């Protein structure tokens, strides 16, 4: 059967093709000229700005201050923390020439900023009164990417990186969990994702960290996406960069540091969590346009409905609702409906001459759940701001519920190898594991699944490894899944 030219590959046929078509067709991105680079178009960038504004508010409300550090880092800085340089070496971009001459010391383009911020922290902290030092940076980083994928893995991406220094391990641990909480809350309240907070197993830790925590989201194909991470560094970076303070006793002590980040990858997460065969579905909190108004009519009527639509949009905007009028005269209403469905706009209002005469507009939602409900309903124009606001709040909650239900339905507690294999084929497996790397490798070789996290909420449990039957590690079940 020939497919409508405007439609995309169904998710069930090829999820990866679906994703690649949607990011371009929804005009979120374009390909950059350099391999692995991504141009974020205005529609995609607006989503990022909305996410950024929400997270920034949370970061500032808890006493952190934004600062900005240079993009170029002396190569020697990277080499000071052994695990850090080893972990990042394969991904580094290095600048060897400047001003037409070879540099005496090559410069690294930041893959992350622990080193340069560590250097500054050492300079700025001297007494216990300087602690805690709570910094955040919004910026870009570069990491060479062999298998690029828009938003998920691009050589350059946008993010925030929090960096903090504390007097005690307990304070730094509390900070690590506070930041993880920002991410879980942003994911749940704004992006409508149902993520699981947990701790990474040793091999999945950030290079140089003592403990790494993550929020993992389940995508519509059952794979996991790491959507934000928070790291407790212990004194590793403090020792490498000389970040010390004079304690109350007068003795010099090493600080305990943390770092934490959330990136444009999150946009990939919301595309793959909410999207369907018609394209993108955006949670209202992050939708550049929460409502699109399509005026309908020909000739003189077109002018009347267009001006009424413009007036309606202004009324909605005044009520804090992001509304857009699609007044493109050359396109049919049907084309516009498909276009805005592809671009994920939560609510559509149609305004034709008969609606206008009745003082109403026809409202339809991009998606309904759990009951599919394609019915349009009339809304009174004079009550539109209230009715639309209620509908948007309901839509936001509905998406969160749909994501949580999907995750629940595709997560299995498994106690045998065949159960494990079946579970990770289309979702997540909660399994006991021995914690040994060789055993993880075998599991990965056979199923491509890897340990995603040890859920914080997991109940204490001991037993034998799902794969090799040795005694289990971690004291809890581990989430295994195929991951992005
Ligand atoms: Zn094992």
């Amino acid at each position: 059967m020939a497919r409508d030219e405007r439609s995309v590959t169904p998710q069930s046929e090829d999820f990866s093709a679906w994703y690649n078509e949607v990011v371009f067709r929804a005009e979120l991105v374009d390909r950059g000229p350099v391999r692995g680079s991504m141009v974020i178009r205005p529609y995609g960038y607006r989503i990022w700005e909305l996410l950024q504004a929400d997270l920034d508010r949370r970061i500032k409300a808890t006493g952190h201050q934004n600062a900005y550090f240079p993009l170029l880092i002396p190569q020697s800085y990277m080499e000071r923390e052994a695990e850090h340089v080893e972990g990042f070496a394969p991904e580094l971009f290095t600048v060897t020439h400047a001003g037409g001459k070879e540099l005496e010391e090559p410069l690294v383009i930041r893959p992350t900023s622990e080193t340069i911020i560590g250097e500054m922290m050492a300079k700025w902290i001297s007494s216990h009164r300087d602690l805690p030092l709570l910094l955040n940076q919004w910026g870009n980083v570069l990491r060479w990417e062999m298998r690029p994928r828009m938003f998920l893995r691009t050589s350059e991406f946008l993010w925030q990186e929090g960096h903090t220094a504390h007097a005690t391990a307990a304070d730094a641990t509390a900070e690590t969990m506070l930041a993880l909480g920002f991410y879980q809350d942003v994911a749940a309240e704004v992006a409508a994702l149902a993520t699981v907070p947990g701790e990474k197993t040793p091999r999945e830790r950030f290079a140089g960290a003592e403990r790494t925590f993550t929020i993992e989201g389940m995508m519509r194909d059952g794979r996991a996406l790491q959507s934000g991470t928070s790291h407790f560094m212990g004194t590793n970076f403090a020792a490498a960069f000389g970040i010390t303070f004079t304690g109350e006793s007068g003795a010099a002590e090493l600080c305990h540091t943390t770092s934490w980040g959330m990136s444009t990858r999150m946009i990939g997460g919301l595309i793959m969590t909410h999207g369907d065969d018609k394209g993108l579905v955006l949670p209202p909190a992050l939708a550049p346009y929460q409502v699109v108004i399509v005026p309908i009519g020909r000739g003189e009527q077109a002018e009347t409905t267009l001006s009424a639509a413009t007036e309606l949009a202004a009324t909605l905007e005044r009520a804090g609702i992001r509304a857009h009028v699609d007044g493109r005269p050359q396109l049919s209403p049907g084309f516009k409906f498909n276009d805005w469905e592809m671009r994920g706009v939560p609510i559509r209002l149609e305004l034709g001459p008969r609606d206008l005469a009745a003082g109403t507009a026809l409202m339809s939602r991009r998606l309904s759940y759990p009951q599919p409900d394609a019915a349009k309903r009339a809304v009174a124009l004079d009550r539109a701001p209230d009715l639309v606001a209620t509908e948007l709040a309901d839509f936001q909650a509905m998406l969160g519920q749909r994501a949580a239900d999907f995750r629940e339905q595709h997560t299995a507690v498994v106690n045998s190898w065949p159960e494990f294999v079946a579970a990770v084929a289309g979702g997540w497996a909660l399994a006991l594991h021995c914690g040994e790397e060789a055993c993880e490798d075998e599991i990965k070789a056979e199923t491509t699944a890897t340990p995603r996290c040890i859920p914080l909420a997991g109940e204490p449990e001991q037993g034998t490894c799902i794969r090799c039957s040795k005694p289990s590690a971690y004291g809890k079940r581990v989430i295994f899944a195929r991951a992005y």
Side-chain angles (χ1 to χ4, degrees):
M1 192 174 68
R3 194 176 290 141
D4 181 339
E5 259 177 44
R6 287 173 299 185
S7 70
V8 288
T9 301
Q11 289 185 338
S12 57
E13 195 174 294
D14 185 342
F15 193 83
S16 173
W18 170 86
Y19 180 83
N20 287 329
E21 290 167 29
V22 166
V23 292
F24 294 108
R25 294 279 300 281
E27 298 184 9
L28 299 176
V29 293
D30 213 332
R31 278 190 193 84
V34 175
R35 182 185 164 78
S37 66
M38 163 174 74
V39 175
I40 307 178
R41 300 182 66 174
Y43 195 66
Y45 197 76
R46 185 73 186 117
I47 298 173
W48 175 241
E49 284 182 324
L50 290 163
L51 183 75
Q52 184 183 37
D54 185 89
L55 180 54
D56 194 58
R57 178 180 56 76
R58 294 172 200 262
I59 290 171
K60 286 179 179 149
T62 42
H64 302 81
Q65 291 183 304
N66 285 340
Y68 189 79
F69 297 83
L71 179 80
L72 295 172
I73 299 175
Q75 193 173 47
S76 58
Y77 282 25
M78 288 300 293
E79 288 159 0
R80 280 192 225 164
E81 214 290 335
E83 280 185 23
H84 191 64
V85 67
E86 192 191 322
F88 278 102
E91 301 177 1
L92 288 184
F93 282 82
T94 307
V95 178
T96 56
H97 289 73
K101 285 185 189 153
E102 188 166 354
L103 294 166
E104 275 181 35
E105 181 186 352
L107 304 171
V108 165
I109 299 178
R110 62 180 171 217
T112 178
S113 303
E114 276 75 9
T115 59
I116 194 152
I117 295 179
E119 179 78 5
M120 291 299 131
M121 281 180 166
K123 198 168 152 186
W124 297 341
I125 297 167
S126 54
S127 141
H128 63 93
R129 284 180 293 272
D130 300 324
L131 297 172
L133 181 58
L134 307 174
L135 299 173
N136 179 62
Q137 161 165 275
W138 288 98
N140 58 342
V141 287
L142 269 80
R143 298 176 185 177
W144 175 242
E145 188 52 70
M146 294 297 288
R147 294 172 300 136
R149 198 121 194 250
M150 293 293 140
F151 291 117
L152 303 174
R153 278 193 307 270
T154 48
S155 285
E156 179 181 359
F157 57 89
L158 303 180
W159 76 345
Q160 61 66 224
E161 45 181 319
H163 293 270
T164 67
H166 307 262
T168 67
D171 288 354
T173 301
E175 170 73 18
T176 308
M177 302 320 288
L178 175 74
L180 191 73
F182 297 152
Y183 298 152
Q184 206 194 342
D185 292 348
V186 167
E189 294 165 20
V190 182
L193 307 185
T195 61
V196 172
E199 181 164 5
K200 286 288 187 190
T201 54
R203 179 191 265 185
E204 305 273 332
R205 271 181 207 140
F206 179 80
E210 294 218 336
R211 301 181 77 179
T212 287
F213 295 85
T214 175
I215 56 165
E216 298 281 325
M218 184 188 280
M219 306 297 104
R220 216 78 197 148
D221 61 352
R223 289 182 187 242
L225 182 77
Q226 176 180 305
S227 308
T229 50
S230 185
H231 317 289
F232 170 72
M233 304 298 193
T235 55
N236 293 344
F237 283 88
F241 288 88
I243 312 170
T244 60
F245 68 102
T246 312
E248 290 181 50
S249 64
E253 295 178 38
L254 286 174
C255 289
H256 292 76
T257 66
T258 81
S259 78
W260 28 276
M262 180 177 267
S263 73
T264 37
R265 187 165 225 246
M266 192 69 175
I267 298 175
L270 66 98
I271 297 166
M272 292 195 293
T273 299
H274 303 309
D276 65 12
D277 289 348
K278 290 182 192 167
L280 204 62
V281 178
L282 292 173
L286 295 177
Y289 305 135
Q290 296 169 315
V291 180
V292 67
I293 306 168
V294 180
I296 295 165
R298 292 176 188 281
E300 225 169 85
Q301 289 179 330
E303 280 174 40
T304 315
T305 55
L306 178 59
S307 96
T310 308
E311 203 177 301
L312 175 58
T315 308
L316 294 174
E317 290 278 351
R318 277 196 295 276
I321 295 164
R322 293 186 289 278
H324 175 71
V325 177
D326 188 348
R328 293 177 289 180
Q330 75 280 18
L331 299 174
S332 71
F335 182 94
K336 293 177 183 177
F337 297 169
N338 286 341
D339 194 31
W340 294 111
E341 281 177 354
M342 169 63 66
R343 300 182 78 183
V345 174
I347 291 175
R348 182 177 77 223
L349 292 174
E350 297 166 37
L351 201 52
R354 260 177 293 176
D355 305 308
L356 203 51
T360 59
L362 273 182
M363 175 162 73
S364 48
R365 289 158 62 119
R366 172 64 179 77
L367 187 72
S368 286
Y369 175 85
Q371 301 304 324
D373 174 22
K376 296 177 184 179
R377 62 192 179 90
V379 294
L381 290 175
D382 56 4
R383 292 184 56 216
D386 281 352
L387 294 171
V388 168
T390 304
E391 197 74 17
L392 286 170
D394 184 71
F395 194 90
Q396 180 85 25
M398 176 275 293
L399 280 188
Q401 189 59 50
R402 179 171 170 264
D405 289 351
F406 186 85
R407 192 195 74 204
E408 188 96 348
Q409 289 154 9
H410 294 83
T411 301
V413 175
V414 299
N415 294 305
S416 73
W417 182 247
E419 284 176 342
F420 181 99
V421 173
V424 299
W428 294 359
L430 271 165
L432 291 170
H433 188 253
C434 63
E436 289 181 16
E437 292 194 355
C439 183
E440 283 181 12
D441 287 342
E442 271 184 40
I443 292 175
K444 190 176 182 185
E446 285 203 28
T447 66
T448 70
T450 51
R452 302 320 306 152
C453 72
I454 308 155
L456 296 182
E459 295 292 329
E461 195 174 339
Q462 304 283 355
T464 56
C465 175
I466 193 74
R467 172 71 191 167
C468 70
S469 301
K470 283 185 191 162
S472 65
Y474 314 122
K476 279 182 182 181
R477 284 178 184 267
V478 180
I479 293 175
F480 277 84
R482 295 174 301 147
Y484 282 98

